[in-house]
Amino acid sequence: MPSTRLTIFSVIVAIAALVLVFELLRRRRLREKYAVIWVVISLGTLVVALFPPLLGWVSSVVGIQTPSNLLFFSSLIILFAVSLQLSREVGLLEEQSRRLAEEVGSLRLRVDALEEGRSRTGAVGSGEPHPAELDGVAKPAPVTVPDTE
């Protein structure tokens, strides 16, 4: 039977974890889809802290002799699942970044082609200033991109 100090400390840590998760959610520092797993872990910790014999019962049902080994094994599985989820997210973000970089490159080529076409047919040599040169301050010329749909 665990000591009263350990039970109180475990309950305080579990409640502090819950408060931290909800505070991060409130400040929009943590997204809801990630908060769910942390709330479940915190609630599980709170249940085990309040009912320590439950851990011994679950470990005997699963076939693990020492309840602490069940905690270590559960922690390993949870860390693996979180790492796998975050690796998946990183892969999706890399793909999205690559796609966006390709789109920016394509749009930059189109803008450069439009600007080159404008400078060939613009008011060069006609005595009128280019709109970008009015007021003596170089301003970017408005760019119109033709609708391709």
Side-chain angles (χ1 to χ4, degrees):
M1 188 77 181
S3 70
T4 306
R5 280 182 163 171
L6 178 61
T7 301
I8 292 171
F9 180 73
S10 300
V11 168
I12 290 172
V13 167
I15 291 172
L18 275 171
V19 169
L20 177 65
V21 168
F22 285 117
E23 184 62 23
L24 290 173
L25 274 171
R26 187 182 70 80
R27 292 183 181 187
R28 300 197 187 287
R29 300 282 186 202
L30 182 66
R31 294 184 55 196
E32 292 84 5
K33 69 180 185 177
Y34 300 119
V36 171
I37 191 166
W38 298 119
V39 167
V40 168
I41 290 170
S42 299
L43 289 175
T45 304
L46 186 62
V47 167
V48 168
L50 290 174
F51 307 106
L54 183 65
L55 184 62
W57 178 78
V58 171
S59 64
S60 67
V61 167
V62 174
I64 298 175
Q65 291 181 347
T66 309
S68 60
N69 288 344
L70 177 63
L71 278 178
F72 289 129
F73 181 71
S74 301
S75 299
L76 180 69
I77 297 300
I78 289 169
L79 288 174
F80 176 75
V82 169
S83 296
L84 192 63
Q85 168 66 21
L86 292 176
S87 295
R88 182 183 154 274
E89 292 284 330
V90 167
L92 292 174
L93 289 173
E94 284 177 350
E95 177 66 24
Q96 184 181 20
S97 295
R98 184 191 59 75
R99 194 173 347 107
L100 288 173
E102 288 175 357
E103 285 181 27
V104 166
S106 173
L107 290 173
R108 187 170 288 151
L109 286 174
R110 290 178 65 190
V111 167
D112 289 346
L114 287 172
E115 286 177 350
E116 185 178 315
R118 174 179 282 169
S119 68
R120 284 187 197 155
T121 61
V124 178
S126 66
E128 296 182 20
H130 191 274
E133 298 168 350
L134 293 176
D135 299 329
V137 178
K139 298 176 187 167
V143 176
T144 57
V145 178
D147 192 16
T148 58
E149 293 179 23

